[in-house]
Amino acid sequence: LPTDPSARFDSTDYQIWGASCVKDNSDTYHLLYSRWPAERGHLAWVTHSEIGHATSVSPLGPFVHQDVALPPRGDELWDGQCTHNPTVYCFDGTYYLYYLGTRGDRLEGPILQDQPGILTDQVLQAQGRDPRPRPRLAHALGNSPSLRNAEP
């Protein structure tokens, strides 16, 4: 069956991936989702992903972007460049966000034709750089579904 177009959350500026939805006490639905700049290509999720926050009055949308729940936190942190694949739950008034985090070196190099800013594994290995991200699972806690000021 066709999907109602209003149930699709999309952006022209960002690639969207892996959303999770939770309803708050005032019947607002909060969508937490991975996003990264579309201009960087699909593989840039590894070094430029963040967790966005959108809201709607219906679980089927339309959702409107509100803010970024978990932005880049700094290249020195294990999840400082990539917060990805969010899943959110609420237990006893506390919101739990589970996500994948990792970081790369963000160094620029030869550009793949359809993936701006992404290096091939062979080029990275030749430069003595690790081509594979080492993602880890993490969680953040907050007292609102937007998870603003959450503690990862």
Side-chain angles (χ1 to χ4, degrees):
L1 296 171
T3 303
D4 182 334
S6 71
R8 180 179 176 173
F9 184 68
D10 205 356
S11 170
T12 57
D13 298 328
Y14 290 91
Q15 293 203 17
I16 306 294
W17 187 273
S20 182
C21 191
V22 66
K23 181 179 168 184
D24 70 15
N25 292 334
S26 64
D27 294 333
T28 298
Y29 292 86
H30 297 262
L31 187 73
L32 297 170
Y33 58 95
S34 302
R35 75 179 200 162
W36 61 95
E39 67 194 23
R40 299 200 70 84
H42 180 71
L43 296 179
W45 74 266
V46 176
T47 55
H48 291 81
S49 183
E50 62 188 9
I51 297 176
H53 169 234
T55 59
S56 176
V57 296
S58 165
L60 297 178
F63 282 89
V64 176
H65 173 79
Q66 299 298 319
D67 53 23
V68 176
L70 201 51
R73 300 185 316 123
D75 291 352
E76 71 282 358
L77 299 173
W78 67 270
D79 66 345
Q81 296 174 352
C82 171
T83 51
H84 196 70
N85 282 354
T87 299
V88 63
Y89 297 99
C90 183
F91 298 106
D92 297 325
T94 299
Y95 293 88
Y96 296 81
L97 171 65
Y98 296 89
Y99 67 96
L100 176 141
T102 191
R103 66 185 168 105
D105 59 21
R106 286 203 188 191
L107 298 176
E108 297 295 329
I111 296 174
L112 298 178
Q113 184 174 2
D114 62 341
Q115 302 295 331
I118 302 300
L119 300 172
T120 65
D121 288 359
Q122 295 82 10
V123 171
L124 287 170
Q125 288 170 338
Q127 294 174 352
R129 295 160 58 190
D130 189 351
R132 301 284 176 219
R134 304 273 191 268
R136 295 189 229 171
L137 183 64
H139 71 277
L141 307 174
N143 59 6
S144 74
S146 72
L147 290 150
R148 273 179 248 126
N149 302 316
E151 290 295 324

